[in-house]
Amino acid sequence: MKLPFVSLDKLKEISQTYSTPYHLYDEKGIRENARNLYKAFSWNKGFKEYFAVKATPNPSIIKILMEEGCGVDCSSYTELMMAEMCGCRGDDIMFSSNATPAEEFKKAAELGAQINLDDITHIEFLENICGIPEKICCRYNPGGTFSIDNQFMDNPGEAKYGMTREQMTEAFKKLKEKGAKEFGIHAFLASNVLSDDYYPALAAVLFQTAVELQQETGVKIAFINLSGGIGTPYRPEEKANDIFVIGEGVRKKFEEILVPAGMGDVAIYCELGRYMLAPYGCLVSTAIHEKHIHKDYIGLDSCAVDLMRPAMYGAYHHVTVSGKENAPADHVYDITGSLCENNDKFAIDRQLPKIDIGDFIIIHDTGAHGYAMGYNYNGKLRSKELLLKENGEVVMIRRAETPEDYFATLDF
Ligand SMILES: *Cc1c(COP(=O)(O)O)cnc(C)c1O
């Protein structure tokens, strides 16, 4: 059974100050999870998590993670600005972009961010903008398919990111000639993976590549960035990852591959987004309509502009009718938003307890890639974001959009 982190009593209390819909984040859960990640990788001296800002671009959330020792991973101009506002500089920032506009490299260089080059042609592109920094990272794409124990995980050969193995060697040589002194290697081969074997398998590929690159080019490899990809159990029957098993798995590969090559001082980085935040956020809405035609529908006061994943990927998000956690799930509903798009459904044919108008409907695991993916189709305005603090207090960390926001870019 999947239970929300917030009770009906708490939602009633919140409703005296803030109306639905809103995304609610759980500070306690965020902090505990981040601490466990750092514990699981405490064997590595330079370990650092660079939270993928795109997952939850809110300074209040980023600051919590910074207090737990995290940096940020940015890939756009405004994400860099947000990092700057949060007080991130230099080694607090990874800039892992692709098809990068010149002004974004310029901003990243201004902040002293660690720049991760997505392509070999970006060496000259970057050099012409701001010169080659002493510390630089290259993104690797091994191509083909990525499997663990013959189980297909993802298809890097079809992914637009990174450089081929040959290009990695050439890039490191070029960068060294141009004055780079410390190197990083990055790869992101599979997304939302529910397997404790993914990070160790990815680490083995990157560690082996690092040893080869150091031998071939003589550069000093300072860090290896395992990027994002650790998944979240969106479905109640799915098993959560065990970060301690993952950390230990990566440590074993480190001891097997890097230590014998004299590379025991390499720092491990990651850029987790979903794993850091998804379970610690939910979208709280109110059931405002009930409709019975060829199927039974519940209409909410939120819609796909607040959470796009179901419409975009057909993604499953668990739904709880607050206060009815233990009631029998003896009704079948489609839970919908109000867009003029039939894919605006948070759940289809979902077995749930009887829903009454006015019930609080909690959509789980929206803490990452939830609010962040929002848009304004149909002129719908995005919801607010609230933070449930460790002391139980609830604060607004982003107000809802207003019609003035919607019209602000128009000139008429
Ligand atoms: C999206 C992204 C991440 C975070 O991915 P998650 O699946 O949320 O862990 C990390 N690094 C890069 C470069 C990304 O694009």
Side-chain angles (χ1 to χ4, degrees):
M1 193 166 147
K2 211 171 157 73
L3 290 171
F5 60 78
V6 63
S7 67
L8 176 58
D9 282 346
K10 191 73 196 178
L11 291 184
K12 283 184 181 161
E13 185 192 316
I14 294 172
S15 71
Q16 289 171 8
T17 315
Y18 302 110
S19 57
T20 61
Y22 51 81
H23 283 271
L24 180 69
Y25 301 95
D26 173 25
E27 178 179 11
K28 187 161 173 282
I30 295 169
R31 286 191 189 274
E32 279 173 10
N33 183 64
R35 281 173 202 168
N36 282 336
L37 172 71
Y38 271 89
K39 250 185 238 156
F41 283 88
S42 58
W43 54 266
N44 182 261
K45 229 177 73 215
F47 176 78
K48 195 167 172 90
E49 148 72 1
Y50 293 85
F51 176 63
V53 169
K54 75 165 189 269
T56 322
N58 188 307
S60 304
I61 300 291
I62 292 169
K63 283 197 169 151
I64 291 172
L65 290 168
M66 285 171 65
E67 284 169 18
E68 298 300 335
C70 300
V72 291
D73 161 39
C74 302
S75 56
S76 71
Y77 195 84
T78 49
E79 287 180 0
L80 286 166
M81 285 175 70
M82 192 174 291
E84 185 178 20
M85 286 172 205
C86 291
C88 291
R89 292 293 180 286
D91 284 357
D92 298 333
I93 309 173
M94 274 300 306
F95 185 60
S96 292
S97 60
N98 68 92
T100 314
E103 61 271 21
E104 299 192 1
F105 273 140
K106 192 157 167 262
K107 181 78 183 168
E110 256 171 49
L111 294 175
Q114 303 173 88
I115 294 178
N116 183 17
L117 297 177
D118 183 64
D119 189 52
I120 189 143
T121 60
H122 291 188
I123 297 173
E124 261 115 50
F125 190 75
L126 180 68
E127 191 179 26
N128 291 334
I129 296 161
C130 54
I132 299 297
E134 285 201 355
K135 202 188 224 184
I136 192 87
C137 182
C138 290
R139 185 167 183 169
Y140 176 39
N141 181 338
T145 56
F146 182 66
S147 303
I148 302 172
D149 298 333
N150 287 325
Q151 208 197 330
F152 174 83
M153 305 299 288
D154 219 321
N155 211 346
E158 290 294 326
K160 66 172 174 170
Y161 310 107
M163 306 185 200
T164 67
R165 180 62 191 79
E166 296 72 33
Q167 289 173 336
M168 288 292 285
T169 304
E170 200 188 324
F172 273 35
K173 284 182 178 161
K174 257 195 190 162
L175 288 162
K176 188 184 174 192
E177 265 172 39
K178 292 180 188 295
K181 300 223 156 43
E182 286 188 289
F183 288 72
I185 306 176
H186 170 287
F188 191 167
L189 302 187
S191 189
N192 191 24
V193 184
L194 283 180
S195 159
D196 295 337
D197 298 330
Y198 168 61
Y199 248 33
L202 170 66
V205 171
L206 287 183
F207 293 171
Q208 195 55 51
T209 307
V211 172
E212 290 168 18
L213 282 169
Q214 187 162 60
Q215 283 164 359
E216 288 166 11
T217 66
V219 303
K220 174 175 172 40
I221 301 204
F223 66 87
I224 292 176
N225 187 335
L226 302 176
S227 183
I230 298 183
T232 226
Y234 288 100
R235 293 173 182 271
E237 68 274 16
E238 286 171 338
K239 191 173 156 281
N241 288 102
D242 184 334
I243 201 65
F244 293 99
V245 173
I246 292 173
E248 179 57 18
V250 174
R251 189 189 68 78
K252 281 204 182 109
K253 300 293 180 192
F254 191 91
E255 297 289 334
E256 267 170 44
I257 303 168
L258 286 182
V259 172
M263 295 168 71
D265 60 345
V266 168
I268 303 298
Y269 291 175
C270 50
E271 294 171 346
L272 298 166
R274 193 184 315 270
Y275 182 77
M276 303 309 287
L277 248 303
Y280 313 110
C282 60
L283 174 60
V284 180
S285 309
T286 303
I288 57 170
H289 289 286
E290 177 173 359
K291 167 167 185 170
H292 304 282
I293 48 170
H294 311 291
K295 297 179 80 172
D296 298 320
Y297 295 96
I298 295 294
L300 303 186
D301 56 359
S302 59
C303 64
V305 305
D306 302 302
L307 177 67
M308 198 182 190
R309 297 186 74 255
M312 190 169 180
Y313 309 120
Y316 180 96
H317 278 266
H318 199 62
V319 173
T320 293
V321 186
S322 187
K324 298 183 181 173
E325 284 82 350
N326 295 308
D330 53 4
H331 284 61
V332 176
Y333 295 112
D334 281 15
I335 308 292
T336 81
S338 52
L339 291 188
C340 300
E341 262 290 348
N342 196 42
N343 69 4
D344 184 16
K345 294 180 175 179
F346 293 114
I348 297 172
D349 297 329
R350 190 69 60 86
Q351 285 203 278
L352 289 165
K354 180 177 186 320
I355 296 175
D356 297 298
I357 300 297
D359 279 350
F360 289 116
I361 307 297
I362 299 173
I363 301 173
H364 291 239
D365 300 319
T366 67
H369 311 295
Y371 179 91
M373 289 175 88
Y375 59 121
N376 283 125
Y377 195 49
N378 257 182
K380 291 286 179 177
L381 304 172
R382 272 170 285 183
S383 64
K384 55 184 88 73
E385 295 184 291
L386 306 179
L387 177 66
L388 172 59
K389 303 215 311 186
E390 274 184 306
N391 65 8
E393 192 190 335
V394 172
V395 291
M396 184 158 71
I397 57 174
R398 188 197 303 263
R399 67 162 170 79
E401 287 177 338
T402 63
E404 289 71 29
D405 295 323
Y406 182 76
F407 291 110
T409 51
L410 295 169
D411 190 2
F412 70 103

